[in-house]
Amino acid sequence: MPVLRPGTLRTPRALLTALLAALSLTLPLTTAQAADATAPSRGSARMGMGVLAHDGGNGTPTSAAVTQTEGVDVAGYQGNVAWPTLWSSGVRWAYTKATEGTYYTNPYFAQQYNGSYNVGMIRGAYHFATPDTTSGATQANYFVDHGGGWSRDGKTLPGALDIEWNPYGAECYGKSASAMAGWIADFLNTYKARTGRDAVIYTATSWWSDCTGNYGGFAANNPLWIARYASDPGTLPGGWGYYTMWQYTSSGPTVGDHDKFNGALDRVQALANG
């Protein structure tokens, strides 16, 4: 049996652990810990979530040389959408968030995706990419299996890959430019193998430059949906000479996120028909 000698003090292990834990609560958080504490919850990401914070907002579109067709994009946080109101305001196409990573499906997807179709809009679905969680192929399959497919009905647009700032951590999801381009290619190739269509790429020029090295290898096949809240779409990412769609604001009427299709309604229909 151990004997305590005069002048010795032994602190029970449980008490020592509690004291260290209490001390840690008084220390400042590291940058990573602070980011984790303030990050939004997984599944809450949406198109353009990082545009204002990273690129700002600088006006509204000026008159275009060609006819532009108004559209909107929606996600679960908006709940049930007033599609008849949007139709009456001139909106003719819409994209709905279907999935994120391999852990989230939009609980309002049916109302949003079918509701736009039922009022006469041409509609599509999009996937919010999280390249740090699973492979591009895995996420493409998850997207197709949960609403991101395509059918030749004249009113369904090809799926869109939303690839932009990481709202949950490091801007480029911890990937090098070449690894990011490879992840995107993996998604796009799998999506085309599953549906027969080339997916739309939604992104912002500044993010694309930072995180893919301004890679230009997708422009020949994948329509560009550019994000920029300004009077014009600005400089486009590498390879693309024109945009197909442009998200120009997050503060529109009825639904905040409004978009322009670079052409008249018959061009929207042409993209739907493939």
Side-chain angles (χ1 to χ4, degrees):
M1 177 177 181
V3 177
L4 288 178
R5 301 184 183 279
T8 4
L9 177 62
R10 293 192 179 182
T11 305
R13 182 175 296 177
L15 178 58
L16 181 60
T17 301
L19 288 170
L20 290 173
L23 177 62
S24 69
L25 293 176
T26 67
L27 297 176
L29 292 174
T30 66
T31 302
Q33 288 171 325
D36 288 342
T38 59
S41 59
R42 285 276 178 182
S44 63
R46 60 187 186 274
M47 273 188 172
M49 193 172 186
V51 172
L52 285 173
H54 292 88
D55 287 348
N58 303 291
T60 55
T62 54
S63 297
V66 299
T67 302
Q68 306 272 294
T69 306
E70 192 75 8
V72 295
D73 56 272
V74 298
Y77 79 100
Q78 288 156 316
N80 292 326
V81 174
W83 293 112
T85 301
L86 286 165
W87 177 265
S88 297
S89 72
V91 173
R92 292 297 178 262
W93 60 277
Y95 267 87
T96 296
K97 180 182 177 181
T99 51
E100 177 180 321
T102 53
Y103 49 79
Y104 173 85
T105 57
N106 177 3
Y108 291 93
F109 182 75
Q111 193 276 342
Q112 295 176 349
Y113 188 69
N114 297 328
S116 55
Y117 181 96
N118 290 338
V119 298
M121 293 183 193
I122 301 172
R123 50 75 190 276
Y126 79 85
H127 173 79
F128 192 95
T130 56
D132 56 340
T133 60
T134 46
S135 71
T138 299
Q139 292 193 29
N141 281 317
Y142 186 80
F143 177 44
V144 174
D145 292 341
H146 295 86
W150 175 78
S151 59
R152 196 182 296 276
D153 59 4
K155 293 183 69 176
T156 302
L157 293 160
L161 172 64
D162 178 359
I163 185 80
E164 57 175 295
W165 297 278
N166 179 9
Y168 310 118
E171 175 186 10
C172 301
Y173 300 85
K175 291 193 176 296
S176 67
S178 60
M180 181 63 75
W183 190 98
I184 295 169
D186 195 28
F187 182 99
L188 298 175
N189 291 338
T190 303
Y191 185 82
K192 185 167 186 178
R194 288 288 306 273
T195 66
R197 293 300 307 272
D198 289 301
V200 174
I201 295 177
Y202 168 98
T203 196
T205 299
S206 61
W207 182 91
W208 192 264
S209 180
D210 288 347
C211 297
T212 75
N214 209 28
Y215 180 73
F218 303 124
N221 297 312
N222 299 97
L224 172 66
W225 188 348
I226 190 69
R228 187 169 188 256
Y229 303 163
S231 58
D232 59 67
T235 302
L236 302 181
W240 281 284
Y242 63 91
Y243 67 90
T244 298
M245 290 169 273
W246 167 26
Q247 187 191 56
Y248 67 87
T249 186
S250 60
S251 55
T254 310
V255 164
D257 294 345
H258 273 246
D259 310 89
K260 301 286 186 184
F261 193 97
N262 194 18
L265 183 60
D266 66 328
R267 303 315 303 156
V268 186
Q269 293 167 332
L271 181 59
N273 286 322

